[in-house]
Amino acid sequence: MMAAGMNVALLNLSFGTREEHIDTIKMLRQAAKEYSAAVGKNFPLAIAARLPGRKIRTGNIADANVPVCLCGHLLSSMRYSKIPLRAELLDIANCILDGADALVLSAETAVGICPVETIACMASACKEAEACVWTKRTFQDFVEKTTAIAMSAVLAAYRSIASAIIVVTLSGKSAFQVAKYRPRCPIIAVTRNAITARQMHLYRGLMPLIYDAAPEADWQTYLDQRISFCIKFAMQRGFVKVGDPLVIVCGWKLGSEFTNTMRMIYATADTGPVS
């Protein structure tokens, strides 16, 4: 399922015992480790919990930068068939066009006969719908409630037709803020914190990477290494080519709450120092 595109596993904690839930989480973590070994990089599988009753707390999502996840049996027919209904695909497209961050599959993958095909279908439909989103208008709707660096990064990506926005982050707040404004290109967020990387899966357009190499004493050298790591990943995936403009969002020193820099670079074949 992870190879087909699953990056968030939803657990229904309303049923079952505590021991069963613990065993399920351990199984998912082990599966993520095995998949990470197979692909040659750390894959941050996120685990979301569906809680019973009043344990769920809601807020005003119009003013808060929080991910919006929708669960409504979006591909219900694929519990018994490998071909979805046209109406279901239109529902998925409408969810994307309305601004949803994540679409949740439940019974389709829990008890369906073809969970892998269902995930692949969902991922393909989401990609097609993303191509129709008027991201420039979405960005304009958020301009009045913005932070300088996030707005500058997204605006620079529009003006330069950048292939990607690379965010070097520790806590993930910088990446979350950039994702809020729905840029036209993917956001590659590199972090050393596995928990932060898993949380990023809930935000639309964010592609988290875990950089687990030993840190350098010199911050600029360490920063160049993490940016090169992102560029190599993007080139392997095929959405960044040599000479493409890239937007970099980073801080002036190691640690959280120091993000204050936005700059433009161009992808190179050797992905060496980018300063």
Side-chain angles (χ1 to χ4, degrees):
M1 291 185 183
M2 286 180 280
M6 182 187 76
N7 47 33
V8 180
L10 177 66
L11 300 183
N12 189 348
L13 302 186
S14 301
F15 304 96
T17 64
R18 179 174 180 273
E19 289 72 20
E20 291 174 345
H21 299 324
I22 293 176
D23 291 340
T24 302
I25 293 174
K26 289 181 178 179
M27 178 193 67
L28 291 171
R29 291 284 180 247
Q30 183 61 34
K33 289 182 180 179
E34 294 175 358
Y35 181 70
S36 298
V39 299
K41 68 181 184 69
N42 197 335
F43 182 80
L45 176 67
I47 298 178
R50 179 182 293 170
L51 301 175
R54 297 302 299 171
K55 291 183 180 180
I56 301 175
R57 296 291 182 263
T58 59
N60 185 357
I61 63 175
D63 295 328
N65 183 23
V66 297
V68 178
C69 307
L70 298 180
C71 176
H73 300 286
L74 297 170
L75 290 173
S76 181
S77 66
M78 294 195 73
R79 286 182 294 173
Y80 315 106
S81 172
K82 291 186 178 182
I83 301 177
L85 299 177
R86 180 173 59 182
E88 293 173 337
L89 296 178
L90 291 176
D91 288 340
I92 293 173
N94 285 327
C95 291
I96 297 298
L97 295 177
D98 288 339
D101 287 279
L103 303 183
V104 181
L105 294 173
S106 51
E108 298 92 333
T109 53
V111 297
I113 62 174
C114 47
V116 176
E117 290 81 358
T118 303
I119 293 173
C121 177
M122 173 74 81
S124 178
C126 289
K127 290 177 182 178
E128 291 294 329
E130 285 281 2
C132 302
V133 176
W134 190 5
T135 53
K136 186 175 182 179
R137 177 58 183 273
T138 305
F139 171 71
Q140 292 173 349
D141 292 340
F142 282 113
V143 163
E144 295 181 357
K145 301 178 182 179
T146 186
T147 58
I149 298 300
M151 185 183 72
S152 299
V154 176
L155 187 58
Y158 281 125
R159 297 285 178 84
S160 64
I161 316 180
S163 295
I165 299 175
I166 297 176
V167 183
V168 181
T169 180
L170 178 64
S171 65
K173 292 181 180 179
S174 301
F176 300 155
Q177 195 68 32
V178 174
K180 176 181 178 179
Y181 303 108
R182 302 291 194 264
R184 57 170 297 280
C185 58
I187 306 167
I188 307 174
V190 57
T191 180
R192 297 185 61 86
N193 193 329
I195 296 177
T196 299
R198 291 193 288 268
Q199 292 172 346
M200 290 179 187
H201 279 307
L202 295 175
Y203 287 79
R204 182 174 173 181
L206 264 178
M207 304 178 66
L209 295 180
I210 299 177
Y211 187 78
D212 48 14
E216 297 286 341
D218 181 67
W219 167 244
Q220 188 59 51
T221 301
Y222 185 45
L223 182 63
D224 288 344
Q225 290 177 352
R226 296 171 77 171
I227 294 175
S228 297
F229 177 71
C230 294
I231 297 175
K232 289 179 181 179
F233 167 81
M235 286 184 171
Q236 291 174 354
R237 289 297 182 95
F239 59 87
V240 170
K241 299 180 177 60
V242 175
D244 286 355
L246 302 170
V247 178
I248 308 297
V249 176
C250 59
W252 65 279
K253 71 174 187 177
L254 181 64
S256 183
E257 305 295 340
F258 295 114
T259 300
N260 65 346
T261 304
M262 188 282 296
R263 55 182 171 140
M264 295 284 304
I265 66 170
Y266 292 89
T268 58
D270 56 0
T271 62
V274 296
S275 56

